Amino acid sequence: MTSNRLAWQALQPDADSFQPIFSRDFSDNGTDILPDIQPRLFDAAQLLQRSRAPFPLLLIRCAENSETLSLLAQTLQHNGAKKKGLYGGNYLINEEQISWQPAQTAEEAFASRGDTQCADWIEPEQLFGCVRIFAQRITLEPGLIHRANGGTLLLSLRTLLAQPLMWLRLKQIVQQRRFDWLSPDESRPLPVAIPSMPMQLKLVLCGDRDAMADFQEMEPELASLAIYSEYEESLRLEEPEDMALWCRWITALSRQAGLPAIMPDFWPLLLQEAVRYSGDQQILPLCPAWIGRQLREAAGYGERLDAEALQTALDARSWRENYLPEQMRDEILLDQILIETEGAVAGQINGLSVVEFPGHPRAFGEPSRISCVVHVGDGEFTDVERKAELGGNIHAKGMMIMQAFLIAELELDQQLPFSASLVFEQSYSEVDGDSASLAELCALVSALAEQPINQQIAVTGSVDQFGHVQPVGGLNEKIEGFFEVCQQRGLTGQQGVIIPAANVRHLCLQQAVVDAVRDGQFHLWAVNEVDEALPLLTGIAWKQDNAPCLLQSIQERITEFNQQHARQRPWPLRWLNWFNHS
């Protein structure tokens, strides 16, 4: 029964193996890290610079925040050809006559060296500049598009989708390679003619997948001809040097933000937080906004970026955000929400849920009591959540898959003479997802076999029709939610959680849980099949030749019921039943 038990070393990423890398000095990084950290994006940027298309456009799928857009602008600037000439020019205003001349110096208002300019949100006046008329005097103010002349303009798709007229004007400028001035008042024309100016632009539009889909619908032909790439938000940890690359990347971001140097003991703790964020021990986040937050908050608690400063920042953040989870946990400890963590009960099991409240910054785990009642019937399995319209489609699918497995295992040549109802007790909101299907199946088997389930163990995982246990999400939060309840009530040394074996790579638990597992006060079991979970919960095997097992108990109960039912029939029907069997 303990062969599936996980060692405490598996509960967090293996930081010890990377200690030689963490001891390196990454402070001598240069911009050469960009091609290594974003190779696809770097290649797309180079292709854009070489492009001679009538409408040079690069679409980048990325998060629309200032940190990411600033990073993309640096990448494009790094890829840009070294331009020696000037673009644009200058306007000479002489009372009622305005003339334009090519740029002579870079200091002129409408001159540009072909740099990369970016904005995450911009208004038309900021983008196109404006014509100001005051006291019969005209002044021209340049916009972002003039500073990007001859270079690259990077904008958020959200900006253009929200202001379609601005997009239409920008599109016309890029296509015609000419900038025309418009009156600030649509009802009144410009008092004087303002010459157009030559405009050469390469356009980069950034947004998430929904924004990309909206843009493709709005401009299908343009989108089909554009260069496409994505900002890779994670780095897969396959070789030790991948960790070195990640450390170089974070050091470069820290240096750009003007933060203190990073100490070697900072890396293991940051690695743990990174794995919790990515949800996989082999995947490291590259999101500059997330990384920047960790660095800045740690810098606020110390003069240097070390483990103590980061731990203090993480503890303070958890304390600030933990009011709602504490209130929910108090409801359990005060027996307002009934969760058993001792004893054994037939047809009852502790499932694990992830709670996400709108407006709350983080998800947290909470145990849920799942119960099953079996009674004489026609074989119907009632999903109470679905009947009450509180169960989602995925939850209903998991229930049907669970039922299919059980019916196939019983190998009945007749209808199951029992009906069952399963419910999440004290659940007053919608339940969705199939991550409780393993727990529901175990509760159903327990009720059918009349075999109690150990209430000191909680279960998470989904199942398929063949009894294979499949991975689920929110694993760390689920385990920690049950652990905190057990810890508050007092650890017995027999409590723990059953998880899918495929989820082991996603583990990155808080240190308190790791310490309890190491001391034998709490346990984790990883299972691949349903028949591995049932003995842990009931102490009896699911299927076993020439020995008592849960499957045999269910079959014997069905046979006993059929015999009782046959004896209760009138004698002509009993005779007919004997004739059919013979």
Side-chain angles (χ1 to χ4, degrees):
M1 291 175 55
T2 59
S3 59
N4 305 96
R5 185 177 297 173
L6 295 177
W8 65 270
Q9 292 90 342
L11 309 187
Q12 289 179 339
D14 182 16
D16 292 340
S17 62
F18 298 110
Q19 284 301 332
I21 293 176
F22 294 157
S23 301
R24 296 185 194 175
D25 181 14
F26 301 102
S27 60
D28 59 344
N29 289 328
T31 55
D32 291 338
I33 191 176
L34 291 171
D36 298 329
I37 210 74
Q38 296 291 337
R40 293 185 178 91
L41 181 59
F42 205 78
D43 180 75
Q46 288 182 323
L47 182 59
L48 177 69
Q49 297 302 330
R50 299 192 301 266
S51 174
R52 301 195 179 191
F55 199 106
L57 173 63
L58 170 60
L59 298 176
I60 301 177
R61 199 286 309 165
C62 68
E64 295 184 66
N65 54 60
S66 57
E67 292 90 346
T68 302
L69 295 184
S70 176
L71 174 66
L72 295 177
Q74 293 177 28
T75 304
L76 294 167
Q77 183 69 28
H78 183 76
N79 273 275
K82 302 298 182 181
K83 302 180 178 68
K84 298 181 180 179
L86 293 176
Y87 299 85
N90 193 29
Y91 282 96
L92 302 178
I93 303 176
N94 184 13
E95 295 181 357
E96 296 184 357
Q97 185 175 4
I98 300 177
S99 60
W100 181 86
Q101 64 179 18
Q104 303 296 322
T105 64
E107 287 72 27
E108 295 173 359
F110 292 88
S112 167
R113 291 194 178 275
D115 294 331
T116 298
Q117 303 291 332
C118 77
D120 58 344
W121 180 267
I122 197 167
E123 300 292 338
E125 274 195 4
Q126 298 170 306
L127 180 60
F128 301 119
C130 62
V131 180
R132 299 199 183 277
I133 305 173
F134 180 74
Q136 308 259 326
R137 186 173 180 181
I138 297 176
T139 57
L140 303 178
E141 294 187 6
L144 189 68
I145 197 171
H146 302 103
R147 294 195 294 274
N149 193 5
T152 305
L153 178 63
L154 186 151
L155 295 175
S156 163
L157 266 176
R158 174 171 45 94
T159 300
L160 301 179
L161 293 172
Q163 303 175 90
L165 293 179
M166 187 171 73
W167 160 246
L168 292 176
R169 186 180 178 190
L170 176 61
K171 177 184 175 182
Q172 183 182 43
I173 291 170
V174 176
Q175 285 177 330
Q176 297 180 354
R177 298 191 176 187
R178 186 181 74 250
F179 177 82
D180 296 312
W181 291 94
L182 301 179
S183 171
D185 186 351
E186 296 181 359
S187 63
R188 300 174 59 186
L190 291 171
V192 296
I194 304 177
S196 301
M197 64 178 292
M199 183 72 64
Q200 298 181 37
L201 279 179
K202 296 183 185 297
L203 190 59
V204 179
L205 302 181
C206 306
D208 58 21
R209 296 202 189 280
D210 291 336
M212 287 289 174
D214 292 339
F215 181 77
Q216 287 175 346
E217 184 177 354
M218 182 175 67
E219 295 283 356
E221 183 177 351
L222 197 58
S224 66
L225 298 175
I227 303 169
Y228 178 85
S229 188
E230 301 199 15
Y231 177 82
E232 299 177 30
E233 297 181 348
S234 61
L235 174 68
R236 187 167 295 278
L237 190 59
E238 297 176 343
E239 302 291 339
E241 285 306 308
D242 293 331
M243 179 62 74
L245 179 62
W246 188 65
C247 294
R248 287 174 57 204
W249 174 242
I250 292 174
T251 303
L253 294 178
S254 176
R255 190 176 63 253
Q256 289 178 11
L259 298 175
I262 298 177
M263 299 293 105
D265 64 344
F266 182 85
W267 296 113
L269 188 56
L270 182 63
L271 173 61
Q272 292 181 20
E273 194 65 17
V275 169
R276 285 185 69 91
Y277 176 77
S278 69
D280 195 311
Q281 294 183 7
Q282 302 301 315
I283 296 179
L284 303 175
L286 298 175
C287 175
W290 181 85
I291 293 172
R293 181 190 183 188
Q294 316 311 311
L295 297 174
R296 288 191 300 271
E297 289 191 12
Y301 287 92
E303 297 181 355
R304 58 182 186 175
L305 295 177
D306 56 14
E308 182 180 359
L310 180 56
Q311 187 63 63
T312 303
L314 295 176
D315 291 343
R317 185 194 306 168
S318 177
W319 174 75
R320 290 192 303 268
E321 299 175 353
N322 214 33
Y323 173 75
L324 184 58
E326 287 179 358
Q327 295 296 108
M328 299 292 290
R329 188 166 61 248
D330 287 345
E331 292 290 302
I332 296 175
L333 298 176
L334 294 173
D335 292 331
Q336 300 305 298
I337 298 177
L338 302 180
I339 299 292
E340 300 289 341
T341 54
E342 293 184 8
V345 181
Q348 178 177 300
I349 194 169
N350 289 321
L352 298 174
S353 304
V354 172
V355 181
E356 296 183 16
F357 273 97
H360 194 269
R362 68 166 74 186
F364 56 91
E366 182 183 48
S368 303
R369 183 163 57 106
I370 301 173
S371 64
C372 177
V373 174
V374 172
H375 52 84
V376 176
D378 57 1
E380 180 186 6
F381 292 88
T382 301
D383 179 3
V384 176
E385 307 298 331
R386 189 69 170 177
K387 288 280 187 180
E389 298 184 355
L390 289 175
N393 294 331
I394 300 177
H395 177 261
K397 177 183 176 182
M399 286 283 296
M400 289 185 282
I401 291 174
M402 171 199 75
Q403 296 165 20
F405 163 77
L406 184 60
I407 297 299
E409 287 288 297
L410 290 174
E411 297 180 345
L412 297 177
D413 56 1
Q414 60 186 12
Q415 193 170 6
L416 183 69
F418 296 106
S419 292
S421 63
L422 288 106
V423 65
F424 277 74
E425 301 287 359
Q426 294 183 279
S427 172
Y428 308 107
S429 57
E430 182 175 342
V431 175
D432 204 1
D434 62 350
S435 64
S437 57
L438 174 60
E440 291 169 326
L441 176 56
C442 293
L444 177 58
V445 169
S446 168
L448 287 171
E450 297 181 315
Q451 183 65 37
I453 286 178
N454 186 353
Q455 300 298 298
Q456 298 184 96
I457 300 176
V459 180
T460 186
S462 68
V463 293
D464 64 12
Q465 295 188 111
F466 305 102
H468 305 312
V469 179
Q470 303 168 139
V472 295
L475 192 70
N476 295 304
E477 291 79 6
K478 291 176 179 179
I479 295 172
E480 289 164 358
F482 185 68
F483 170 79
E484 288 170 0
V485 173
C486 294
Q487 186 182 45
Q488 291 290 329
R489 289 178 171 175
L491 296 175
T492 65
Q494 303 298 319
Q495 295 151 331
V497 177
I498 295 174
I499 66 172
N503 273 128
V504 173
R505 63 178 296 164
H506 305 136
L507 289 173
C508 187
L509 295 167
Q510 295 174 355
Q511 193 60 42
V513 184
V514 177
D515 293 342
V517 172
R518 181 183 57 201
D519 297 339
Q521 295 298 307
F522 197 76
H523 308 284
L524 291 180
W525 296 274
V527 299
N528 288 295
E529 307 288 339
V530 172
D531 55 12
E532 297 175 24
L534 286 167
L536 293 168
L537 292 164
T538 65
I540 300 177
W542 165 241
K543 186 187 299 185
Q544 193 171 357
D545 296 333
N546 303 321
C549 63
L550 295 171
L551 183 60
Q552 180 182 346
S553 298
I554 298 174
Q555 291 171 334
E556 289 176 352
R557 189 179 180 191
I558 293 173
T559 301
E560 180 182 352
F561 174 81
N562 288 334
Q563 291 174 350
Q564 293 178 354
H565 189 59
R567 286 196 296 269
Q568 294 171 359
R569 293 179 181 178
W571 71 266
L573 295 181
R574 293 201 300 270
W575 173 82
L576 180 62
N577 185 64
W578 174 85
F579 179 78
N580 289 334
H581 278 79
S582 61

